[in-house]
Amino acid sequence: KGSVMGIGPCILTKVLCAPFMGDAKFVVGWAMVGRAEFAYLIAQSAAAADMMDRETFSIVIWALLYATIFAPFIFRKVLDRYVKRHFNNENGPQDELKDADH
């Protein structure tokens, strides 16, 4: 259950949330996936206040772990691919990005 929750709500909803961001949509989506610090606190507080049982708490923690562990690695690959595609090594942004400033 934690795997399903980790892949679905914790990862896919964020990765697929920016369809109108153009080529940067996956960069933006994966950048948001690893932001689970506050969610751990909320889960712990809810468990301490008996708002969720131990099984639900375990599912939530596993889901957050998936997002926290995988996000930095995948974000790095997505960002590297985006930078290689849109920026020259020495010349800065490609012409299409320079034209957007004018």
Side-chain angles (χ1 to χ4, degrees), residues 35-98:
R35 309 277 180 185
E37 302 89 6
F38 189 66
Y40 287 109
L41 177 64
I42 297 297
Q44 192 276 330
S45 297
D50 290 328
M51 296 174 71
M52 70 171 74
D53 60 12
R54 293 175 64 92
E55 181 181 0
T56 304
F57 179 73
S58 296
I59 292 169
V60 170
I61 294 301
W62 275 108
L64 293 172
L65 284 172
Y66 270 97
T68 303
I69 291 170
F70 291 124
F73 299 110
I74 297 174
F75 175 68
R76 179 182 223 164
K77 285 186 176 196
V78 171
L79 184 61
D80 284 344
R81 189 179 314 144
Y82 178 80
V83 168
K84 286 177 186 175
R85 189 180 310 143
H86 291 285
F87 293 90
N88 294 330
N89 290 338
E90 298 175 12
N91 299 332
Q94 292 178 351
D95 293 334
E96 64 194 39
L97 295 177
K98 288 181 183 178

